[in-house]
Amino acid sequence: MDLDEEIVKLEGKPIDKVFTEHGESYFRSLESKLMHKYSNELVGYIISLGGGSILSKESFDELRKKSIVINLVRDINLVEKESLKNRPLVHDIEDLKSIIKNRE
């Protein structure tokens, strides 16, 4: 299950529109609620989370208690090609580097 896809279904609009219309804190709150819901309800599922999902220590700690957490790391050049087009927090390579460093 892809958490971003679930947010798109719930909100009826793409992620970048959710950010634009409601802001990052709204998005993170929604993301956290859905992450808790699905991690409690689903057994035997792989839940794909966006990189920002783990920024809340409380959410991340709860997730680690109930799940096996795997962090996928990609080459920054590959991420850059995709992220500059589709991610509301990434406007240039320096934004991307800063976000990656913060999430590490």
Side-chain angles (χ1 to χ4, degrees):
M1 168 179 295
D2 186 296
L3 198 60
D4 281 353
E5 287 179 11
E6 294 301 308
I7 291 171
V8 168
K9 285 181 201 173
L10 182 66
E11 290 291 306
K13 58 189 96 174
I15 298 294
D16 60 335
K17 294 280 188 202
V18 175
F19 265 81
T20 302
E21 293 177 12
H22 302 287
E24 184 179 5
S25 63
Y26 173 86
F27 176 82
R28 296 293 175 212
S29 174
L30 184 58
E31 182 180 57
S32 180
K33 287 176 189 172
L34 289 176
M35 183 173 62
H36 292 296
K37 176 183 185 229
Y38 293 132
S39 67
N40 286 322
E41 292 177 1
L42 303 176
V43 176
Y45 276 72
I46 295 173
I47 303 174
S48 173
L49 307 172
S53 302
I54 54 101
L55 294 176
S56 163
K57 181 175 176 7
E58 179 183 291
S59 293
F60 186 59
D61 287 347
E62 182 178 330
L63 188 65
R64 288 179 60 193
K65 287 178 189 174
K66 300 175 184 173
S67 308
I68 297 170
V69 177
I70 299 170
N71 181 31
L72 301 177
V73 179
R74 295 180 64 203
D75 180 275
I76 193 166
N77 295 314
L78 296 174
V79 175
E80 177 189 18
K81 289 177 185 176
E82 295 171 10
S83 293
L84 293 179
K85 297 177 193 170
N86 303 316
R87 296 295 172 189
L89 296 177
V90 179
H91 302 99
D92 58 34
I93 189 68
E94 294 308 313
D95 287 345
L96 184 58
K97 286 178 182 177
S98 176
I99 288 169
I100 290 170
K101 182 174 174 46
N102 186 37
R103 291 176 181 178
E104 287 176 341

